[in-house]
């Protein structure tokens, strides 16, 4: 299943509930990560907290049960990451309930949804941008590996040519000194 492996870490794990904190996002799909401040914590003290979003490409053979083991064995150079800093946003006014809301609809949570939607869209754009950069870097790496192979092949041919010339020069020198018997 191609896609991205992702996980979210925080500098304040006792203050926040992150759901889901890790998972697989299939190619072309998006994911929503809910971050909530746990009860009992003062909102004014969270301005220095950070979240680290780590992600990498899914190996084709990875099974969901192997996810935790894979993250532990993954080298940092294979991961992409994005650091998000917390900030206190101004409260968004919740509009008065419309007639539809009075008749059984709901308008509660509108502010929270619009705020988290904006963050979700921004995070999705960041993930898409970083995924495109990963694709570009992987293509550049493949190109560079082909160039390295070409240079290695050229160096091998050059060394062989130098050896042939060296043997020819030694043979000529031996003939010039009249050591024909050695040849």
């Amino acid at each position: 299943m191609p896609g991205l492996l992702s996980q979210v870490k925080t500098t304040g794990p006792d203050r926040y509930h992150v759901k889901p904190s890790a998972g697989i996002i299939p190619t072309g799909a998006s994911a929503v990560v809910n971050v909530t401040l746990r009860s009992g914590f003062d909102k004014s003290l969270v301005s220095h907290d950070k979240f680290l979003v780590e992600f990498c490409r899914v190996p084709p053979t990875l099974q969901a049960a192997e996810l935790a083991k894979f993250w532990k064995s993954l080298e940092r150079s294979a991961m992409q990451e994005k650091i998000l800093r917390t900030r206190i946003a101004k409260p968004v006014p919740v509009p008065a309930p419309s007639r539809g809301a009075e008749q059984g609809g709901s308008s509660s949570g509108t502010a929270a949804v619009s705020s988290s939607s904006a963050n979700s869209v921004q995070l999705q754009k960041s993930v898409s941008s970083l995924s495109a950069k990963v694709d570009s870097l992987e293509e550049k790496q493949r190109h560079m590996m082909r160039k390295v192979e070409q240079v290695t092949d050229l160096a091998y041919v050059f060394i062989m040519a130098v050896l042939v010339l060296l043997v020819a020069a030694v043979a000529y020198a031996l003939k010039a000194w009249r050591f024909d018997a050695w040849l």
Side-chain angles (χ1 to χ4, degrees), residues 26-164:
T27 301
S30 62
V32 174
V33 176
N34 292 308
V35 177
T36 54
L37 183 63
R38 295 181 192 267
S39 62
F41 288 97
D42 186 1
K43 292 179 184 177
S44 64
L45 300 176
V46 300
S47 63
H48 297 290
D49 291 336
K50 299 175 195 165
F51 292 89
L52 175 65
V53 180
E54 297 177 317
F55 55 96
C56 69
R57 292 212 174 275
V58 175
T61 58
L62 184 70
Q63 300 298 319
E66 302 169 330
L67 186 60
K69 182 179 175 183
F70 177 78
W71 273 119
K72 288 179 183 176
S73 66
L74 189 64
E75 294 181 22
R76 297 232 2 115
S77 62
M79 281 190 261
Q80 297 291 320
E81 56 186 39
K82 176 74 175 171
I83 296 174
L84 305 173
R85 300 181 193 286
T86 58
R87 64 184 170 129
I88 306 297
K90 293 181 181 177
V92 177
V94 178
S98 64
R99 286 207 181 276
E102 293 170 2
Q103 297 172 353
S106 174
S107 66
S108 64
T110 303
V113 170
S114 64
S115 175
S116 67
S117 293
N119 290 337
S120 176
V121 168
Q122 182 182 9
L123 185 57
Q124 288 173 352
K125 287 180 181 179
S126 294
V127 168
S128 295
S129 172
L130 290 172
S131 180
K133 288 178 183 179
V134 166
D135 290 341
S136 173
L137 288 172
E138 286 176 343
E139 180 57 36
K140 288 178 182 178
Q141 180 185 20
R142 283 190 292 274
H143 178 72
M144 292 301 293
M145 291 304 293
R146 286 191 298 268
K147 291 291 186 186
V148 167
E149 288 173 5
Q150 290 172 352
V151 168
T152 303
D153 291 345
L154 186 60
Y156 179 73
V157 169
F158 178 75
I159 290 171
M160 294 306 289
V162 167
L163 285 175
V164 167

